[in-house]
Amino acid sequence: MIGDIATKGCQLKDPMDLFHSGQVVKICAPMVRYSKLAFRTLVRKYSCDLCYTPMIVAADFVRSAKARDSEFTTNKVGDHPLIVQFAAKEAQVLCDAARIVCPFADGIDLNCGCPQRWAMAEGYGACLINKPELVQDMVRHVRNQIDKPRFSVSIKIRIHEDLKTTVDLCQKAEATGVSWITVHGRSVEERHQPVHYDAIKIIKQSVSIPIVANGDIKTLRDAEKVHHLTGADG
């Protein structure tokens, strides 16, 4: 049964159709060096509904043909639905990167959760959770300039120590037209501490768009457990 659902899901080209299917969406998170075409092709054979590319620095991607050739490969047949994840800090740069991948992918994701020092030092990743207006601006630019109505624009975040701040960020992103939000249930400082699934549940209850739970989900059983704990859509 799971295999049948996954097969049907992979035939859908609009990621939002997955979230409206009535099933928990099984997603392969963006993983550095791993989440390229060959790996995505493999996991799609094992009940994965939706795949991400590894995080790509949008500025390099826009500027360099070499970066585009090395960072992004796909195919027309089985690599859908596909989300391209970008690290960005400027709205127009993110929009330019989205325009390049738009003919080949089903959506983009803005990384607002990477806690690595280099990323935050450059203004990328998790530092963006403290810049909700910038996140809104980036989402708005892509929404306004990409002429593909069913092209998704999502964000991935970490949580704040004060969860009210995270809820505010998510509600502002929702108001700007973000398709869904992936929530890694740890703060920027937390690495191997237990995931705050209760925080994901509160965020899910605070918005109307789909919420994807992230953090220490390694098996299908984990995914089902976290779905029941949080109400998350994926």
Side-chain angles (χ1 to χ4, degrees), residues 198-220:
D198 55 334
I200 300 176
K201 180 178 181 179
I202 291 170
I203 293 167
K204 170 61 185 171
Q205 294 170 342
S206 301
V207 296
S208 300
I209 55 174
I211 294 294
V212 173
N214 178 239
D216 287 0
I217 302 172
K218 301 175 182 179
T219 68
L220 182 58

Side-chain angles (χ1 to χ4, degrees), residues 32 36 56 58 69 80 90 95 103 119 132 143 148 158 169 174 176 178 191-192 196 211:
V32 177
K36 298 199 174 184
I56 300 169
D69 290 341
H80 292 279
E90 297 170 285
C95 196
R143 277 275 175 250
K148 187 177 178 181
R158 283 187 172 235
L169 167 67
E174 178 183 22
T176 313
V178 78
R191 293 295 186 272
H192 304 292
H196 302 285
I211 294 294

Side-chain angles (χ1 to χ4, degrees), residues 156-209:
K156 182 180 180 184
I157 67 171
R158 283 187 172 235
I159 61 173
H160 299 82
E161 295 293 341
D162 181 359
L163 195 59
K164 292 179 181 178
T165 306
T166 314
V167 169
D168 180 66
L169 167 67
C170 293
Q171 290 174 339
K172 286 179 176 176
E174 178 183 22
T176 313
V178 78
S179 303
W180 70 83
I181 300 172
T182 299
V183 182
H184 185 133
R186 292 185 174 99
S187 68
V188 176
E189 292 76 22
E190 292 175 323
R191 293 295 186 272
H192 304 292
Q193 292 87 339
V195 177
H196 302 285
Y197 295 120
D198 55 334
I200 300 176
K201 180 178 181 179
I202 291 170
I203 293 167
K204 170 61 185 171
Q205 294 170 342
S206 301
V207 296
S208 300
I209 55 174

Side-chain angles (χ1 to χ4, degrees), residues 4-234:
D4 291 340
I5 292 169
T7 301
K8 292 175 184 176
C10 286
Q11 292 171 351
L12 299 170
K13 298 299 187 270
D14 179 2
M16 292 306 296
D17 287 344
L18 291 171
F19 289 109
H20 295 144
S21 69
Q23 304 290 332
V24 180
V25 184
K26 297 176 288 297
I27 302 170
C28 190
M31 295 179 285
V32 177
R33 294 185 298 277
Y34 286 96
S35 299
K36 298 199 174 184
L37 177 59
F39 185 73
R40 298 196 301 267
T41 302
L42 177 65
V43 298
R44 289 185 194 278
K45 295 179 179 180
Y46 293 90
S47 302
C48 182
D49 298 317
L50 180 63
C51 287
Y52 284 67
T53 68
M55 183 182 74
I56 300 169
V57 177
D60 295 341
F61 191 78
V62 170
R63 182 172 55 244
S64 167
K66 183 177 180 180
R68 292 193 290 275
D69 290 341
S70 64
E71 294 295 330
F72 180 65
T73 54
T74 185
N75 60 42
K76 293 181 179 179
V77 182
D79 197 28
H80 292 279
L82 175 64
I83 305 301
V84 182
Q85 188 184 75
F86 286 113
K89 57 183 176 181
E90 297 170 285
Q92 192 56 52
V93 172
L94 177 63
C95 196
D96 291 344
R99 187 178 290 110
I100 293 169
V101 301
C102 183
F104 312 103
D106 303 290
I108 64 157
D109 184 80
L110 175 63
N111 188 309
C112 305
C114 179
Q116 295 185 56
R117 291 178 183 176
W118 74 266
M120 296 187 65
E122 292 290 332
Y124 300 135
C127 68
L128 292 174
I129 65 173
N130 297 314
K131 300 177 181 179
E133 290 77 16
L134 176 56
V135 173
Q136 283 184 295
D137 192 38
M138 287 194 276
V139 172
R140 190 181 295 115
H141 264 68
V142 177
R143 277 275 175 250
N144 291 342
Q145 295 186 38
I146 298 298
D147 188 21
K148 187 177 178 181
R150 294 170 75 83
F151 191 76
S152 67
V153 183
S154 56
I155 63 174
K156 182 180 180 184
I157 67 171
R158 283 187 172 235
I159 61 173
H160 299 82
E161 295 293 341
D162 181 359
L163 195 59
K164 292 179 181 178
T165 306
T166 314
V167 169
D168 180 66
L169 167 67
C170 293
Q171 290 174 339
K172 286 179 176 176
E174 178 183 22
T176 313
V178 78
S179 303
W180 70 83
I181 300 172
T182 299
V183 182
H184 185 133
R186 292 185 174 99
S187 68
V188 176
E189 292 76 22
E190 292 175 323
R191 293 295 186 272
H192 304 292
Q193 292 87 339
V195 177
H196 302 285
Y197 295 120
D198 55 334
I200 300 176
K201 180 178 181 179
I202 291 170
I203 293 167
K204 170 61 185 171
Q205 294 170 342
S206 301
V207 296
S208 300
I209 55 174
I211 294 294
V212 173
N214 178 239
D216 287 0
I217 302 172
K218 301 175 182 179
T219 68
L220 182 58
R221 184 173 293 179
D222 290 342
E224 293 168 345
K225 178 182 176 182
V226 171
H227 165 66
H228 289 300
L229 283 173
T230 65
D233 303 276

